[in-house]
Amino acid sequence: CMISATELELLMQNVIFAHQETCQFRQENLQILRWETFSPEEMQNFQQKPMDQMWERCVCHITDAIQYIVEFAKRLSGFTDLNPNDQIVLLKAGAMELLLIRMSRAFNCFNNTVFFEGKYAQLELFHSLGCTDLITSMFDLCQSLCALNLSEHEMAFFNAITLLNPSYPWLQDKHKVDTLYRKIHFAFRHLLRRTHREFILMKLPEKEKLSNICQLHLEKLNIFRQMYPTIAWERFPPLYKELFI
Ligand SMILES: COc1ccc2c(n1)CCN(C(C)=O)[C@H]2C(=O)Nc1ccc(OCc2ccccc2OC)cc1
């Protein structure tokens, strides 16, 4: 794709600002908190919560995070120029993927804990959800992303190219998404060249790994809905229902 030096700089700034303004938690705050873990008593308290209550709490928190992801998308120049159907298709497919990528910013890879309700939680804390395989694969993904030690700029671009994936089947204007994707991917490579970090492109998690975890999330949601048929409709936020139900 042909892009001028000026357009390239403007595009890079746009992606970086879109991330900075919508990243929800500042890195420095997450770093300060990351050795605050739950005590055994607090852990047990969470583990004894009923499944439907724990699901509702988690779904509400991650839906808040997805609101920020929707904001990120809206600030990406070119995203709101896409036809409205394609914007929805890309967010339906990409929201959970971007949540997983962003979650690695709130993950402590030294003690395998993730930020949850004010402190950092171990895998076992989520026991009552009944989806240990989902959480395990999330933690593994966070571990692999933490190992790359992505900068906020790299995180911004990785989120943008993950969202603007031109290979989704239901896209009406695939060419327009592809052009935008190629420009942002070009800008990402430009940033990586300048910072001698090209190697990370080979080490970023494959698309398939992200979509497998998203598939697992949908499967666990369906199992939950069979066990508690009304909870999802009555207690889950509208955005979560639009995207995943
Ligand atoms: C973008 O990055 C982050 C990182 C951390 C947090 C947030 N955003 C939002 C604010 N937040 C709060 C307030 O706790 C944190 C959070 O939600 N943590 C958390 C929630 C659920 C978890 O696993 C269960 C689960 C995961 C995926 C899908 C369904 C699930 O269960 C049904 C694990 C951790």
Side-chain angles (χ1 to χ4, degrees):
C1 66
M2 286 319 293
I3 181 171
S4 70
T6 318
E7 195 187 351
L8 179 64
E9 279 308 315
L10 286 174
L11 183 66
M12 291 179 77
Q13 273 175 28
N14 169 256
V15 172
I16 288 161
F17 289 158
H19 175 72
Q20 281 173 345
E21 286 154 15
T22 64
C23 64
Q24 186 178 16
F25 301 107
R26 296 170 59 82
Q27 270 291 32
E28 44 274 26
N29 300 344
L30 290 169
Q31 295 309 325
I32 294 164
L33 263 176
R34 70 184 185 156
W35 298 107
E36 282 290 313
T37 52
F38 287 106
S39 68
E41 294 73 29
E42 287 172 316
M43 169 102 92
Q44 210 175 38
N45 182 283
F46 279 113
Q47 290 173 323
Q48 282 160 1
K49 287 189 187 308
M51 178 185 269
D52 60 320
Q53 205 191 99
M54 200 58 183
W55 261 88
E56 186 185 345
R57 286 166 86 125
C58 290
V59 159
C60 287
H61 299 328
I62 59 175
T63 306
D64 287 347
I66 290 173
Q67 301 272 12
Y68 286 90
I69 289 167
V70 172
E71 262 315 299
F72 170 71
K74 285 160 69 176
R75 291 166 192 244
L76 277 185
S77 62
F79 183 83
T80 46
D81 301 335
L82 298 174
N83 92 33
N85 164 74
D86 288 353
Q87 294 179 40
I88 300 292
V89 164
L90 292 177
L91 278 167
K92 268 177 88 77
M96 184 52 72
E97 296 188 345
L98 267 69
L99 178 89
L100 295 169
I101 296 168
R102 284 174 159 226
M103 200 168 249
S104 65
R105 292 172 78 250
F107 186 79
N108 183 338
C109 57
F110 300 101
N111 58 8
N112 217 39
T113 56
V114 70
F115 178 72
F116 180 71
E117 292 191 9
K119 291 184 182 176
Y120 275 66
Q122 290 159 308
L123 185 80
E124 294 73 20
L125 181 139
F126 302 97
H127 178 75
S128 69
L129 290 172
C131 47
T132 306
D133 47 355
L134 168 66
I135 318 291
T136 306
S137 45
M138 270 173 44
F139 275 45
D140 292 347
L141 179 88
C142 286
Q143 281 287 359
S144 63
L145 278 171
C146 283
L148 294 176
N149 206 8
L150 296 181
S151 68
E152 285 300 280
H153 292 183
E154 291 161 350
M155 178 65 73
F157 277 96
F158 183 37
N159 276 316
I161 59 170
T162 302
L163 177 71
L164 291 163
N165 184 333
S167 59
Y168 288 130
W170 312 109
L171 290 172
Q172 284 167 1
D173 192 344
K174 203 182 279 275
H175 175 70
K176 204 167 178 189
V177 176
D178 190 50
T179 307
L180 189 51
Y181 170 83
R182 288 172 188 275
K183 281 183 178 173
I184 291 183
H185 200 278
F186 181 83
F188 189 21
R189 290 201 308 277
H190 182 74
L191 167 79
L192 294 177
R193 243 191 322 277
R194 267 194 338 206
T195 53
H196 310 297
R197 291 267 294 173
E198 297 99 322
F199 69 94
I200 67 161
L201 274 180
M202 300 299 291
K203 293 178 180 285
L204 288 170
E206 296 82 38
K207 197 92 197 84
E208 196 172 332
K209 187 168 182 191
L210 284 171
S211 46
N212 287 348
I213 303 172
C214 296
Q215 201 46 47
L216 199 50
H217 162 245
L218 292 176
E219 284 163 22
K220 296 299 165 188
L221 172 60
N222 284 335
I223 294 166
F224 174 79
R225 288 179 63 204
Q226 281 157 23
M227 294 169 78
Y228 299 92
T230 59
I231 297 280
W233 282 113
E234 285 165 7
R235 314 290 280 278
F236 287 2
L239 176 60
Y240 184 88
K241 288 193 283 196
E242 270 165 53
L243 290 172
F244 306 119
I245 289 182

